[in-house]
Short mmCIF file of all heavy atoms in Angstrom, two decimals:
data_model
loop_
_atom_site.label_atom_id
_atom_site.label_comp_id
_atom_site.label_asym_id
_atom_site.label_seq_id
_atom_site.Cartn_x
_atom_site.Cartn_y
_atom_site.Cartn_z
N GLY A 14 143.96 -0.86 124.98
CA GLY A 14 143.64 -0.19 126.23
C GLY A 14 144.33 -0.81 127.44
O GLY A 14 144.29 -0.26 128.52
N LYS A 47 119.85 -42.85 142.93
CA LYS A 47 119.17 -44.06 143.43
C LYS A 47 117.72 -44.12 143.00
O LYS A 47 117.07 -45.16 143.12
CB LYS A 47 119.22 -44.09 144.97
CG LYS A 47 120.60 -44.21 145.53
CD LYS A 47 120.55 -44.17 147.05
CE LYS A 47 121.93 -44.20 147.65
NZ LYS A 47 121.88 -44.08 149.11
N PRO A 57 112.36 -30.89 154.06
CA PRO A 57 111.81 -29.69 154.69
C PRO A 57 111.67 -28.55 153.67
O PRO A 57 112.51 -28.39 152.79
CB PRO A 57 112.83 -29.32 155.77
CG PRO A 57 113.80 -30.41 155.83
CD PRO A 57 113.64 -31.27 154.63
N LYS A 78 113.69 -36.25 134.61
CA LYS A 78 112.77 -35.16 134.97
C LYS A 78 112.29 -35.36 136.39
O LYS A 78 112.14 -36.50 136.86
CB LYS A 78 111.56 -35.15 134.04
CG LYS A 78 111.86 -34.90 132.59
CD LYS A 78 112.08 -33.45 132.32
CE LYS A 78 112.30 -33.28 130.83
NZ LYS A 78 112.67 -31.95 130.49
N GLN A 83 104.34 -29.16 147.21
CA GLN A 83 104.30 -28.87 148.63
C GLN A 83 103.28 -29.81 149.29
O GLN A 83 102.17 -29.94 148.84
CB GLN A 83 103.88 -27.43 148.86
CG GLN A 83 103.95 -26.99 150.31
CD GLN A 83 103.73 -25.52 150.46
OE1 GLN A 83 103.54 -24.78 149.50
NE2 GLN A 83 103.76 -25.05 151.71
N GLN A 84 103.72 -30.50 150.35
CA GLN A 84 102.87 -31.42 151.07
C GLN A 84 102.04 -30.69 152.13
O GLN A 84 100.88 -30.93 152.29
CB GLN A 84 103.68 -32.53 151.73
CG GLN A 84 104.47 -33.38 150.77
CD GLN A 84 103.59 -34.16 149.82
OE1 GLN A 84 103.39 -33.77 148.68
NE2 GLN A 84 103.05 -35.25 150.28
N LYS A 95 110.73 -39.10 134.82
CA LYS A 95 111.32 -39.63 133.57
C LYS A 95 112.69 -40.19 133.86
O LYS A 95 113.48 -39.65 134.59
CB LYS A 95 111.44 -38.52 132.53
CG LYS A 95 112.12 -38.96 131.25
CD LYS A 95 112.28 -37.82 130.29
CE LYS A 95 113.15 -38.26 129.13
NZ LYS A 95 113.53 -37.16 128.29
#
Side-chain angles (χ1 to χ4, degrees):
K47 296 177 184 176
K78 298 280 184 186
Q83 186 171 0
Q84 299 296 100
K95 175 183 171 189

